[in-house]
Amino acid sequence: QVQFVESGGDLAQPGGSLRLSCAASGSISTLYKMGWYRQAPGKQRELVASVTLYGTTDYVDSVKGRFTISRDNAKNTVWLQMNSLKLEDTAVYYCNAPGRLTDWGQGTQVTVSS
């Protein structure tokens, strides 16, 4: 099964930007939907953004207008551009395939703090 390695997390100030990357160990061309999830301390993991093979995107309301998900099937990579970061965006971010979940990767820590 495909495994994912997330990177790009860092400490950022409120209002700042980060770009997360997700590298897949195999082809994502067969995965109709790819998504970014996050898990904040003491909270359940939630799907925050998804993108289909055809480029259709969907976002949870809390990130709409601030985050942008994209994928490159040739590079087996998914990105999450995060702008106008807020304190509540602090979490560990993971990528996976909604509807066809595989083992979770290590995730990448995003900390938004002044």
Side-chain angles (χ1 to χ4, degrees):
Q1 63 179 5
V2 178
Q3 295 181 320
F4 304 107
V5 178
E6 303 89 352
S7 62
D10 205 342
L11 173 64
Q13 291 189 337
S17 297
L18 287 173
R19 182 176 173 85
L20 305 185
S21 297
C22 168
S25 62
S27 176
I28 63 171
S29 297
T30 59
L31 298 174
Y32 174 71
K33 186 178 288 187
M34 288 296 303
W36 279 96
Y37 297 75
R38 69 184 179 189
Q39 186 167 21
K43 295 188 177 182
Q44 288 189 333
R45 189 173 293 164
E46 64 170 343
L47 177 64
V48 298
S50 64
V51 58
T52 70
L53 276 172
Y54 308 107
T56 302
T57 58
D58 193 23
Y59 302 91
V60 68
D61 285 347
S62 59
V63 308
K64 280 182 180 177
R66 301 188 298 120
F67 290 10
T68 303
I69 187 172
S70 59
R71 66 190 287 174
D72 186 328
N73 296 327
K75 296 181 179 180
N76 296 319
T77 303
V78 184
W79 296 275
L80 185 68
Q81 178 66 43
M82 310 166 65
N83 298 329
S84 303
L85 284 165
K86 302 179 179 180
L87 297 176
E88 52 264 40
D89 294 322
T90 295
V92 180
Y93 285 71
Y94 305 86
C95 69
N96 214 313
R100 293 185 62 182
L101 295 177
T102 65
D103 291 342
W104 294 96
Q106 296 286 337
T108 187
Q109 176 71 49
V110 171
T111 302
V112 184
S113 174
S114 56

